[in-house]
Structure formats: C-alpha cells, structure tokens
Amino acid sequence: MDWFEENARDLPWRRPDAGPWGVMVSEFMLQQTPVSRVLPVYEQWLARWPRPADLAGDAPGEAVRAWGRLGYPRRALRLHGAAVAITERHGGDVPTDHAQLLALPGIGEYTAAAVASFAYGQRHAVLDTNVRRVFARAVTGVQYPPNATTAAERKLARTLLPDDDRTASLWAAASMELGALVCTAKNEACVRCPVAALCAWRLAGKPAHEGPPRRGQTYAGTDRQVRGRLLAVLREAVAPVPQSALDRVWEEPVQRARALDGLVADGLVEPLTGGLYRLPQS
C-alpha cells in the first residue's frame, strides 16, 4: 500500500470526480483490454453519457458504435443493459449494495466486487487476472494462477484482505496495480517489487509453470476478426447496410456467414427486410 501511494498511475476512473458510474464504465472496458486502448474511449463515453440514464435513453446500437475497436463488443450491450436497470430500479444511481450490483445484467462476481470496493470503499476480495497472479506467486509459490478462478483462490483472497473497509479497498487497488506494473505475466520486475523478499515463487527460484497450458489470445483469421470487420462497417454507416457491403470485408463465405449469424444471435446486429443490416435500435 505504501508502494501504491507512490507509484499508482493517475487514471481518470481513480479520481474523485469519476463517481461510481465512471468506475463501473471503466471496469466493463478494462476486461481483457489494456489501459492504453481504454483511455480515449472512456473519456468519450463519459462525455456523451455522464450518467446511467443518459446511456439508457440511447439505443443499444449507439453503445456498440461508441465502443469502437475495444473488442468483445457484447460488453457494450451489457453495459447498456446495466444502465437501463440502474435507471429503472435504482433511480439512476449505481447501487451501493453488493448484492444489488450483482443482480444487474452483465455484472458478475468480479465487477460487483470491484465497483463496491473502488467506488464505495467497501471490503471485498477483488480478483482480476493481475491480483490472481500476484497471489499465486507471492503466496502460493507458482508462476501462474489456474485458468479459471478457484474456491481456494477466493478463500486465500479473503484471508489476506484487511479487516477495515477503507484499508481493504486500498489494498485491492494496490495489489491489482502491483500485478499490472511489476508482477506482470512476462518480464516481471522483481527488483522493483515491494514484497520481493516475501515472494514464495522468487524464493523457490522461480520454478516454471507446471499446470495446464495457458490459453493464448489468437486473433488473426478467427471468427472474432471477421466479426470485428463486419461490425466496423456497421459502426461507420449512418443508414442500414446491404449484404453486399458486408460480403466485401471477408473472402471466405462460410466463415463470414457464421460470424454474421453470431452477431445477430448475440444482439449486436439487427437484420432488416431486403437484406439490410444495422446496429440494434431496441
């Protein structure tokens, strides 16, 4: 925590004026996406939709359009759905109660804990990839955590969590920042780590990972890439787009059709009569 006070990045969602809505937007955007890509989209998003009700009053397709090239665009629809629920159930204010946060559409265990902790200073174990990696190395003595969060990890996180609410929320942010800046997945900077002298993995000689193979982040040639290209055409269009315009973005017809069908099934694209397509309007 002392290290965090001196080394924490000045990020807009950490500033007091961000408010709970700003924290929630950042948590949706930062899932599987680096800070450098999130920053410009985050600023534009909050300028356009400074409160949940502002986003809820717009079409979900506008959220997908504003999401740009952040990737995993279903997050935009989920954030829009959460904004609608906040507006309808909570008078437009992001709820403070963890259970109410968890009940919002599109919000899982991690996001509910992160918003409650970072926006409202509550005591919750916030387990993102960075925190899990720090705990795996410093406490468990292995290079990487399991592919999916386990009950043992949750128990360990709760054990390490300080008792005081404010201290616990600061601890959550500090451990996350340590994983993002120092205890990184590759090329970890142990010489700059404030807990290097206590790190079980370092003290054991940094044994190599022995668990299941870590999932890669392949993109080129995948359906994800095709979906991204199709959505790019629809985001840039002001009117419904004909099938012929979508056909030009990818040569292989079977994969292209599969990607488009997936976008429609996910609610990211709305088919119209006459072979036209647009971003969802309702």
Side-chain angles (χ1 to χ4, degrees), residues 250-272:
W250 198 259
E251 198 171 284
E252 209 289 300
V254 174
Q255 188 179 25
R256 185 181 65 235
R258 183 172 66 241
L260 182 57
D261 287 346
L263 289 170
V264 171
D266 289 341
L268 289 162
V269 172
E270 186 177 329
L272 304 173

Side-chain angles (χ1 to χ4, degrees), residues 2-282:
D2 291 339
W3 170 88
F4 181 66
E5 284 194 17
E6 293 187 7
N7 295 276
R9 291 167 291 180
D10 179 20
L11 300 173
W13 45 86
R14 288 179 175 163
R15 298 169 192 161
D17 61 351
W21 174 237
V23 171
M24 178 176 285
V25 170
S26 75
E27 289 300 335
F28 271 81
M29 291 185 173
L30 288 165
Q31 294 166 19
Q32 299 178 286
T33 308
V35 167
S36 58
R37 289 179 57 200
V38 166
L39 282 169
V41 180
Y42 173 88
E43 299 281 12
Q44 294 164 10
W45 190 284
L46 268 296
R48 181 174 179 179
W49 298 304
R51 288 184 52 79
D54 301 315
L55 176 58
D58 228 332
E62 289 306 301
V64 176
R65 193 190 310 277
W67 199 255
R69 303 190 68 83
L70 282 183
Y72 302 100
R74 276 178 289 184
R75 292 180 294 168
L77 287 184
R78 291 170 183 152
L79 184 50
H80 183 275
V84 171
I86 290 168
T87 303
E88 293 177 348
R89 303 177 196 169
H90 304 288
D93 294 322
V94 176
T96 60
D97 182 72
H98 179 266
Q100 290 180 330
L101 286 166
L102 200 54
L104 294 173
I107 290 194
E109 174 190 353
Y110 165 77
T111 305
V115 173
S117 179
F118 302 148
Y120 293 117
Q122 297 176 14
R123 183 182 183 273
H124 294 282
V126 183
L127 277 173
D128 80 335
T129 302
N130 289 316
V131 176
R132 294 175 62 224
R133 184 170 57 251
V134 168
F135 292 172
R137 292 176 179 173
V139 183
T140 313
V142 297
Q143 186 177 15
Y144 299 117
N147 283 335
T149 307
T150 65
E153 286 181 282
R154 295 187 183 95
K155 182 178 180 181
L156 172 62
R158 289 193 295 269
T159 301
L160 295 171
L161 202 59
D163 293 332
D164 173 69
D165 276 14
R166 183 185 175 281
T167 308
S169 65
L170 184 59
W171 156 263
S175 55
M176 186 177 296
E177 192 78 334
L178 186 65
L181 299 183
V182 175
C183 194
T184 50
K186 297 179 181 178
N187 304 315
E188 62 280 350
C190 298
V191 293
R192 295 192 287 113
C193 180
V195 296
L198 305 172
C199 178
W201 182 58
R202 190 190 70 84
L203 293 173
K206 295 186 177 181
H209 177 62
E210 294 182 350
R214 302 180 68 231
R215 292 191 294 259
Q217 291 288 331
T218 55
Y219 183 72
T222 63
D223 285 6
R224 275 188 58 217
Q225 184 180 26
V226 186
R227 285 163 61 102
R229 291 193 178 181
L230 293 169
L231 273 182
V233 173
L234 293 162
R235 281 199 310 270
E236 293 163 9
V238 295
V241 172
Q243 178 79 54
S244 58
L246 297 176
D247 289 345
R248 288 194 290 270
V249 306
W250 198 259
E251 198 171 284
E252 209 289 300
V254 174
Q255 188 179 25
R256 185 181 65 235
R258 183 172 66 241
L260 182 57
D261 287 346
L263 289 170
V264 171
D266 289 341
L268 289 162
V269 172
E270 186 177 329
L272 304 173
T273 57
L276 299 174
Y277 296 85
R278 68 180 180 186
L279 296 177
Q281 298 301 301
S282 60

